[in-house]
Amino acid sequence: PALHRQRHQFVIDFVNRNKPKKVLDLGCSECSLLKKLKFNRDIELLVGLDINGAKVKKHMHGLAPLSTDYLQPSYDQLRIELYQGSVTQKDSRLRGFDLVTSIELIEHLSLADVELFSAVVFGYMTPVAVIVSTPNSEFNLLLPGLSGFRHSDHKFEWTRAEFRSWALKVCLDYSYEVEFTGVGQAPQEQQDSVGFCSQIGVFQRLGGRNGSNMLLGDEAEDVFSYTLVSKF
Ligand code: SAM
């Protein structure tokens, strides 16, 4: 299967195992992951955020419930919200989720903005779990005809060691633990030397849902920096 489908399937498998009730997809783009997640019966709140509000608006229509969806018991449990805004900015409406996904997003940020992303997502939103995927640059030698990055908008592509060192620092700074995996396998004899095509970190908050809440003073106040694009 195509790589983007494998990344989304990875998230869906995680959701089926862990049954999060509130799920937030960062850089939701064409809403394709959200459109798959809306069929999960455990999710009560499904939210997408992207800096490109026009793109979200253009592709969100398949997200609206079909009239037949209402025939399904428990469908009315699902609420969907789409926001335009940047992951570098805080918004108190997106705090306290069970799962935040960031699929092929961070490599579109400058390294300074990746630092802000870490602080906003892990330090402020404080979700129970976070799934981050990003290209593994060690795999690039297996991609025919590629010179430079996989996409012209990428600001960086990390080796496994670079991703690891960012992720471990996030864990230290914000009290998470992480496991590394990926999707898109190299031929058997090259798997160890190049790793996965897309590398994935699965972060879990230490102490789970009741992990220490470090928000103090003004951090506890409401902040609205994103714009609601649509709500179903
Ligand atoms: N997650 C999508 C998927 O799995 O199909 C693909 C993501 S696409 C490669 C990257 C997305 O990140 C784009 O839609 C882009 O508009 C968005 N993006 C870039 N910078 C952002 C930022 N600072 N805040 C929120 N979204 C951002």
Side-chain angles (χ1 to χ4, degrees):
L3 197 63
H4 69 273
R5 292 184 49 192
Q6 292 185 50
R7 287 189 292 258
H8 291 174
Q9 193 57 46
F10 182 90
V11 172
I12 289 162
D13 291 343
F14 181 94
V15 165
N16 289 338
R17 281 196 312 277
N18 292 277
K19 310 200 182 313
K21 289 190 167 64
K22 295 168 80 180
V23 179
L24 165 61
D25 185 33
L26 302 175
C28 63
S29 191
E30 300 176 357
C31 305
S32 49
L33 179 57
L34 296 174
K35 286 173 191 168
K36 294 174 185 164
L37 289 172
K38 82 167 203 175
F39 295 105
N40 184 286
R41 298 290 164 212
D42 295 305
I43 299 175
E44 293 170 8
L45 178 62
L46 190 54
V47 178
L49 170 70
D50 202 286
I51 201 166
N52 188 337
K55 183 153 71 176
V56 170
K57 246 196 156 94
K58 184 164 168 219
H59 292 95
M60 68 184 185
H61 299 290
L63 262 183
L66 304 167
S67 56
T68 54
D69 289 342
Y70 291 116
L71 299 174
Q72 303 265 5
S74 86
Y75 192 82
D76 57 353
Q77 277 186 6
L78 178 63
R79 286 184 294 136
I80 300 177
E81 293 170 9
L82 299 169
Y83 292 92
Q84 185 279 325
S86 175
V87 291
T88 56
Q89 289 190 303
K90 295 173 181 172
D91 188 299
S92 51
R93 290 170 290 186
L94 300 196
R95 298 194 59 232
F97 277 63
D98 301 303
L99 173 64
V100 171
T101 55
S102 167
I103 306 303
E104 307 296 284
L105 164 63
I106 58 171
E107 66 276 7
H108 294 270
L109 306 177
S110 67
L111 290 175
D113 280 352
V114 172
E115 290 302 303
L116 294 173
F117 167 93
S118 308
V120 168
V121 174
F122 296 92
Y124 180 79
M125 292 179 179
T126 59
V128 178
V130 184
I131 298 175
V132 177
S133 89
T134 192
N136 164 21
S137 65
E138 292 170 87
F139 194 96
N140 285 358
L141 61 95
L142 296 183
L143 301 175
L146 182 71
S147 60
F149 293 146
R150 294 182 196 177
H151 192 282
S152 57
D153 188 52
H154 287 180
K155 308 298 187 291
F156 60 86
E157 287 176 357
W158 279 339
T159 62
R160 283 170 290 177
E162 287 168 325
F163 182 52
R164 192 180 186 83
S165 90
W166 168 75
L168 294 177
K169 182 166 187 304
V170 160
C171 288
L172 274 179
D173 288 350
Y174 304 110
S175 297
Y176 279 79
E177 59 190 2
V178 63
E179 278 180 27
F180 298 99
T181 179
V183 294
Q185 288 197 335
Q188 186 102 51
E189 61 283 5
Q190 281 163 303
Q191 277 173 17
D192 288 345
S193 61
V194 301
F196 291 101
C197 187
S198 280
Q199 46 187 345
I200 297 177
V202 179
F203 298 79
Q204 303 269 2
R205 191 170 179 216
L206 296 180
R209 174 181 313 285
N210 304 315
S212 64
N213 187 337
M214 292 174 298
L215 293 184
L216 297 164
D218 61 345
E219 290 278 80
E221 285 170 14
D222 283 343
V223 189
F224 303 116
S225 51
Y226 308 149
T227 307
L228 185 69
V229 172
S230 199
K231 204 172 166 155
F232 307 107

